[in-house]
Amino acid sequence: MPFLGQDWRSPGWRWVKTEDGWKRCEPFSPALEDENNQLNDISHTVLITGDDEDEEIYSTEDCEFAAKKRKKDHFRNNTDSQCFYREKWIYVHKESTRERHGYCTLGEAFNRLDFSSAIQDIRRFNYVVKLLQLIAKSQLTSLSGAAQKNYFNILDKIVRKVMEDQYNPRLIKDLLQDLSSTLCILIRGVGKSVLVGNINIWICRLETILLWQQQLKNLQMNKQVNNGLTLSDLPLHMLNNILYRFSDGWDIITLGQVTPTLYMLSEDRQLWKKLCQYHFAEKQFCRHLIPSEKGHIDWKLMYFALQKYYPVKEQYGDTLHFCRHCSILFWKDTGHPCTASDPDTCLMPVSPQHFIDLFKF
């Protein structure tokens, strides 16, 4: 006889095999773990009313219902909490089946894949920021209320990290600029768009974003006192090799402002030509040739001109991966329960734009 869950359309509970046998696995929060254990250990509960003599005994079903209600109230009232799951992966299904009802949404994937921990990893930081920026531009209203709350909680952690570590503030400034522009449009046309929650909540969020922008604008880089070898002490060929490792033109310009020597190296035509050839096809930059005063091609201006017309290649230390065999989205180091004989051949790295495209129907 097949096992049926509480909803006949669902595949039932998730079960995990342990040394003591099979145990039911469900999403949980550390703040509720102890409470849930207490509720699961007892078969009956006693509710004391106004009179000490009056007692009402509830069955196990009522106890489970009370536990679920307390979970919902906890996450609804605590805006800083984030529901996370034991699994760090999610099955991406786009249509209803007999086993699975409904489909996977962008907000559900955003909540399940633990982006709060990902921003603490320097390899994934730029990836998460880029994903949040793409969501801010076009997908913010498609998120559920819980996902939108999670979005702003993660954004708050990102800003705190940048203020403390001073790591790549330019990326966050661009993200906040796009997000504030989107919110201004949505708040003005609130009757024409979908906004989850009271309009006053969104006004407060916009004010918070403006405050973050002001804090980042006033951010002062700490000067590190080091009596050892510095960047300026390196030979010219090593400094030149460092510049050739950058894939972002703005990073080259920023490094060129450190010393006159680095500025001279950052203005090299060959450097900017290599950068254009890396990001753009020959047909693309042949359509937008920008000659200099001496008749040569100004590759530096070419790079920034081409950025307006074509997307640049994106580089990330670590990305989400998609298993074509299992249709599961996951972080590679956490893995997933793959049933393929050779799982590595089924993996495909997922860019931030591809992540969003997976949930377009």
Side-chain angles (χ1 to χ4, degrees):
M1 180 177 178
F3 171 75
L4 297 179
Q6 294 180 342
D7 187 346
W8 63 270
R9 297 168 298 183
S10 71
W13 299 101
R14 286 190 179 90
W15 295 84
V16 178
K17 189 174 183 180
T18 63
E19 296 179 356
D20 300 328
W22 289 88
K23 291 186 177 181
R24 191 174 69 193
C25 176
E26 59 180 336
F28 72 100
S29 169
L32 294 178
E33 189 174 12
D34 295 336
E35 297 179 10
N36 293 337
N37 291 336
Q38 294 174 4
L39 291 174
N40 292 331
D41 290 340
I42 57 177
S43 59
H44 294 83
T45 183
V46 179
L47 177 65
I48 306 299
T49 59
D51 287 333
D52 295 338
E53 298 178 356
D54 298 332
E55 296 182 354
E56 186 175 355
I57 300 178
Y58 287 83
S59 64
T60 305
E61 294 180 357
D62 295 327
C63 182
E64 291 180 355
F65 176 79
K68 292 181 180 179
K69 187 176 185 304
R70 293 178 69 179
K71 274 187 185 179
K72 292 181 180 180
D73 293 340
H74 174 81
F75 291 116
R76 185 181 295 114
N77 297 330
N78 188 359
T79 57
D80 294 332
S81 65
Q82 179 195 1
C83 179
F84 65 93
Y85 296 77
R86 293 183 185 273
E87 305 92 351
K88 303 300 180 183
W89 49 266
I90 185 170
Y91 176 77
V92 181
H93 54 106
K94 295 187 176 182
E95 58 184 7
S96 297
T97 63
R98 183 176 296 179
E99 294 78 14
R100 293 180 180 270
H101 177 68
Y103 53 87
C104 182
T105 63
L106 176 64
E108 184 180 356
F110 188 78
N111 287 338
R112 287 284 297 272
L113 291 171
D114 194 17
F115 289 102
S116 292
S117 300
I119 61 174
Q120 305 302 327
D121 190 337
I122 193 171
R123 300 172 303 163
R124 300 173 181 173
F125 183 83
N126 292 357
Y127 182 88
V128 177
V129 172
K130 182 63 176 180
L131 178 60
L132 264 63
Q133 187 175 15
L134 292 177
I135 292 176
K137 288 182 178 180
S138 59
Q139 302 296 321
L140 188 62
T141 55
S142 66
L143 299 179
S144 63
Q148 288 177 356
K149 186 186 297 183
N150 189 20
Y151 179 95
F152 283 95
N153 287 338
I154 294 174
L155 185 58
D156 179 45
K157 294 179 181 179
I158 289 176
V159 174
R160 291 181 185 177
K161 180 177 176 60
V162 173
M163 296 296 295
E164 294 174 0
D165 301 342
Q166 301 175 351
Y167 176 74
N168 213 339
R170 180 172 56 83
L171 283 179
I172 316 305
K173 290 178 181 179
D174 294 341
L175 166 60
L176 294 178
Q177 180 60 41
D178 292 335
L179 183 57
S180 61
S181 301
T182 301
L183 286 186
C184 287
I185 296 173
L186 294 176
I187 289 175
R188 291 194 193 102
V190 64
K192 301 178 181 179
S193 61
V194 180
L195 284 174
V196 179
N198 191 287
I199 186 63
N200 294 326
I201 296 177
W202 289 95
I203 294 176
C204 291
R205 287 173 175 171
L206 181 58
E207 292 175 351
T208 303
I209 293 171
L210 297 177
L211 177 61
W212 287 338
Q213 288 178 313
Q214 188 63 36
Q215 291 175 348
L216 291 173
K217 185 178 180 181
N218 299 331
L219 179 63
Q220 298 292 331
M221 295 295 181
N222 297 329
K223 293 184 179 181
Q224 296 182 357
V225 179
N226 189 357
N227 298 326
L229 188 68
T230 63
L231 188 64
S232 303
D233 298 327
L234 296 177
L236 288 179
H237 72 277
M238 294 185 66
L239 294 175
N240 199 40
N241 287 336
I242 292 174
L243 287 169
Y244 271 85
R245 295 294 186 272
F246 286 108
S247 61
D248 192 328
W250 285 110
D251 291 336
I252 295 176
I253 292 177
T254 303
L255 185 59
Q257 296 173 350
V258 176
T259 63
T261 302
L262 286 171
Y263 174 77
M264 177 192 67
L265 295 174
S266 67
E267 293 294 318
D268 182 30
R269 290 180 61 251
Q270 191 66 21
L271 172 65
W272 290 98
K273 180 180 179 180
K274 291 289 185 181
L275 196 63
C276 289
Q277 291 175 341
Y278 172 76
H279 286 288
F280 310 106
E282 185 176 354
K283 294 181 179 179
Q284 294 175 338
F285 57 75
C286 284
R287 298 174 185 174
H288 305 276
L289 292 176
I290 302 177
S292 62
E293 297 178 356
K294 298 181 180 180
H296 302 293
I297 298 176
D298 193 332
W299 292 104
K300 182 178 179 180
L301 292 179
M302 278 275 296
Y303 171 80
F304 291 104
L306 291 170
Q307 267 192 328
K308 300 178 182 179
Y309 299 99
Y310 310 105
V312 297
K313 289 183 179 179
E314 299 176 356
Q315 284 187 335
Y316 303 103
D318 189 18
T319 68
L320 287 169
H321 282 69
F322 181 74
C323 180
R324 293 186 293 267
H325 178 78
C326 307
S327 297
I328 286 179
L329 193 63
F330 65 101
W331 293 108
K332 191 173 182 179
D333 61 346
T334 59
H336 74 288
C338 187
T339 58
S341 57
D342 190 1
D344 292 337
T345 60
C346 305
L347 302 185
M348 177 180 63
V350 178
S351 67
Q353 184 60 55
H354 187 196
F355 177 86
I356 293 177
D357 293 340
L358 282 174
F359 303 98
K360 287 183 178 179
F361 304 101

